[in-house]
Structure formats: structure tokens, C-alpha cells
Amino acid sequence: MDETTSFFESAPLLKDADNITSKLTQFIDQNSSSLSGSSGPRRVVCVTSGGTTVPLEQRCVRYIDNFSSGHRGATSTEYFLKSGYSVIFLNRRGTCQPYCRSLPDDPLLECFELTNDSCIQVQESHSEAVKTAIREHHAAVSGGLLLKLPFTTIFEYLQILRLIATSMKILGANGMFYLAAAVSDFYVPWDSMAVHKIQSASGPLDMRLAQVPKMLSVLRKEWAPTAFCVSFKLETDKEILLEKADKALKRYKMHAVVANELSTRKELVILVTDTAKVSVYRENHNSDVESPLIKLLVDKHSTFIKNT
Ligand code: PMT
């Protein structure tokens, strides 16, 4: 607890906190009072996505980053929306976004062409993908079903996650957390961080990184004790993956842990719960492993709501 308090007390102030809080309040008020088909009040899931950075200087020139592309979070968001959930998408700036997966890397330059000096049109080969992306994204955002909140650093991520979790408290068991972001384990505390660019003239750099407190227990115990919580476990050594996922399930009292190995993460995940370990495969090369995964989690969430 002390580590958590000191993390937040020493973190730089979150810019835009009031604006984020007001967007969250409006989104949750709207969704908590609306119904989702025949299945009762609308459920809201917070999907976290992409990697957090660790700044090395307060006026940041250099930072530590990780591999996460945000594909898992963006894809899962689409399937949650399809299943009737509203989604708060806490995402790393610049990573993969919902409904943009089938667009090329540089959509603006690759999808559009000039017909003459004043007219721009979508290239025929990309027109279906562009239309679908715009239509579905617009429907989700303007329908009040998708709220996108971006972060870059570990400080922003954890502060926004706390705001989301405390705002979602009123949803009770209808709230879900799906923590797919790759969160830094080590960081430089703000008050011991160099202010200006670290100089290379002084020779090799020795740096001691502090451990980022695991927020999963705080989330479960304090921030959102009544929500359904799913965390992820990533390893590169599959021999230790299931054991570590099991430990996380018990230690942090998660309702489910999604275990995945770095190199096969798009093909296979293992859903670990108190009662079973279920391997979830994508159906074929053109399908997403998130499709069967979200189906399973939605069922588990329904059972959780019934039993609460
Ligand atoms: O983005 P992609 O390229 O599509 O890749 C998807 C993914 C591999 C990033 C995703 O499927 C995944 O596994 N995300 C979790 C990665 C991770 O941080 O694993 P971990 O074993 O280090 O952490 C386990 C859990 O603890 C995570 O849910 C994380 O949110 C949480 N955590 C981690 C560190 C920390 N200080 N506090 C935390 O709460």
C-alpha cells in the first residue's frame, strides 16, 4: 500500500485530469442508465492496450518502451462492442486502434489519391476497408458506446486507470476490466529523475530502476471491488507460463487470467480460472483468437453477474 501511495504522490500531475473525469462521468452515467437488448443493463468494459513508456528525464528525450502493438486491445474492443458492451479503451498513443486493422500502415497516404489539384478520393482497392472503418468507428463513438482515452507514460496509464476504476464503481458487477496493456515493471521515480537531458560526456550510464507497484491487488480491493477482472500473463518461456498465470490468479484474486506466449499470442491463448484452463485457438489464418476468447469471457461475466 505504501509503495502505491508513494507512486501516486510522487507522480507528475496528470494533465487534463478534469477533462478526463468529466468524459468518464458522462460516459458511465449514459451507459449505466441504458439497457442492452434483453440482457439487462448495459455492461461496460475497460480495455487497456499497448505498452507504457518509462521516461528517463523529466524533460523527456529518452525513455524505455516495450514491444506491444496494441493489436490485442483494439481487436478485443471490436468484439466487446459486437457483444453489446460499451468500451472504455485506455490506449497507448499511436498504437493499433479499433476498426483500423485492415487498413495499410500509412492509411492517409496509401488509401487516398488526388484526382486533380483540388479533389481527393479513396483508391478503389481500399474503399471497402475505409468505408467499414469509418462507419463502425463513427457508430461506436457517436452512439456513446466507445470512449477512447490515450496515455503514453506509466504515470499517465496508472493515474487514468485509477480514475476509470473509481468512476466505474457504480456499475457494480456490470463493470469489467480487461487488462491487456503491457505495463512497465520498472521505472524511475519522478523525484529522483534527471530534469534535463542526460549528458553522454560523463561516460556510461548507471541507473537504478525502482519496481512499479502491481496495481492489480489495489484495483481488486479498493478501486473496483465489485467488477469482473481479467488480467493477462505474458511470458516468452512457455514452461513457466501456466504456473505464473495460476499464481497471478490467486495472488491478485483475478476472476480470470489470459496466459499468452509472445511468439504465438495471435494464435493461441489459455484462459485460466479457478476451475479450469481452457486453450483458445483462432479458427483459421483469417480469423482472430479474440473472437472465441471474448465469447468465453462474456459467458463468464454473465455467470458472475447472476451469482453476485
Ligand atoms: O499489444 P499486442 O502486440 O497485441 O500484444 C498483446 C500482449 C502480449 C501485450 C497482451 O496479450 C498481454 O499479455 N498483456 C499483458 C502483458 C504484461 O504486462 O504481462 P505481465 O506478465 O508483465 O503483467 C501481468 C499483468 O499485471 C498485466 O495484466 C498487467 O496489466 C499487470 N501489471 C503489470 C505490471 C505492473 N507494474 N502492474 C500491473 O498491474
Side-chain angles (χ1 to χ4, degrees):
M1 266 331 176
D2 287 348
E3 279 174 358
T4 308
T5 312
S6 82
F7 178 91
F8 284 111
E9 279 179 358
S10 64
L13 267 191
L14 179 65
K15 284 185 209 130
D16 232 20
D18 290 345
N19 186 25
I20 295 172
T21 307
S22 96
K23 280 184 185 167
L24 274 169
T25 310
Q26 196 193 351
F27 186 82
I28 289 164
D29 278 357
Q30 221 171 35
N31 279 289
S32 59
S33 56
S34 68
L35 295 174
S36 165
S38 56
S39 54
R42 189 170 282 284
R43 301 177 190 178
V44 178
V45 57
C46 167
V47 172
T48 72
S49 182
T52 58
T53 68
V54 170
L56 301 186
E57 297 122 344
Q58 290 186 2
R59 297 186 191 169
C60 184
V61 174
R62 303 184 186 90
Y63 55 86
I64 302 172
D65 203 352
N66 65 54
F67 71 96
S68 174
S69 65
H71 187 273
R72 172 87 72 224
T75 311
S76 304
T77 293
E78 294 176 24
Y79 286 103
F80 274 120
L81 286 163
K82 226 183 203 169
S83 308
Y85 281 61
S86 293
V87 181
I88 299 170
F89 182 57
L90 177 57
N91 68 100
R92 164 75 182 277
R93 270 187 195 85
T95 55
C96 190
Q97 295 293 305
Y99 304 115
C100 294
R101 290 181 292 135
S102 46
L103 300 179
D105 283 347
D106 197 340
L108 188 64
L109 297 177
E110 290 178 54
C111 293
F112 296 93
E113 61 190 359
L114 284 175
T115 50
N116 56 46
D117 267 355
S118 57
C119 262
I120 293 171
Q121 72 176 19
V122 183
Q123 284 183 14
E124 188 54 39
S125 55
H126 292 298
S127 83
E128 267 322 300
V130 172
K131 271 195 263 179
T132 310
I134 294 175
R135 189 187 311 116
E136 302 202 0
H137 179 262
H138 181 78
V141 173
S142 64
L145 305 174
L146 174 60
L147 175 66
K148 302 208 283 186
L149 298 174
F151 65 83
T152 302
T153 68
I154 179 73
F155 301 110
E156 289 171 338
Y157 172 81
L158 287 176
Q159 291 183 86
I160 304 176
L161 183 63
R162 181 172 62 170
L163 287 180
I164 296 172
T166 45
S167 317
M168 278 176 63
K169 246 185 187 166
I170 60 158
L171 297 168
N174 283 315
M176 188 201 286
F177 286 83
Y178 179 88
L179 304 162
V183 181
S184 324
D185 284 317
F186 306 101
Y187 79 120
V188 184
W190 191 254
D191 38 21
S192 58
M193 193 185 293
V195 175
H196 293 284
K197 183 183 168 204
I198 298 168
Q199 296 298 309
S200 60
S202 14
L205 179 63
D206 280 326
M207 190 169 259
R208 190 178 161 82
L209 300 175
Q211 207 150 12
V212 177
K214 275 269 183 194
M215 295 297 167
L216 297 179
S217 350
V218 190
L219 178 82
R220 277 290 286 127
K221 282 192 203 140
E222 286 189 18
W223 298 347
T226 50
F228 186 73
C229 287
V230 181
S231 74
F232 277 70
K233 187 75 225 160
L234 171 76
E235 291 297 340
T236 51
D237 176 358
K238 65 171 180 283
E239 299 304 319
I240 60 169
L241 178 62
L242 287 181
E243 184 197 322
K244 299 279 293 260
D246 233 358
K247 255 192 200 154
L249 185 81
K250 294 189 176 99
R251 180 174 298 160
Y252 305 117
K253 299 196 166 39
M254 290 290 117
H255 298 102
V257 174
V258 181
N260 56 171
E261 198 223 311
L262 185 67
S263 61
T264 56
R265 68 191 191 277
K266 289 194 178 169
E267 291 133 46
L268 163 69
V269 296
I270 301 159
L271 186 62
V272 180
T273 59
D274 266 350
T275 49
K277 292 183 177 59
V278 180
S279 297
V280 183
Y281 295 89
R282 67 175 175 187
E283 269 166 25
N284 57 55
H285 275 27
N286 298 318
S287 66
D288 304 307
V289 70
E290 288 80 4
S291 169
L293 172 64
I294 303 305
K295 251 185 221 138
L296 271 174
L297 285 173
V298 169
D299 285 349
K300 296 214 173 295
H301 190 199
S302 302
T303 312
F304 173 78
I305 293 170
K306 256 186 234 146
N307 295 340
T308 304

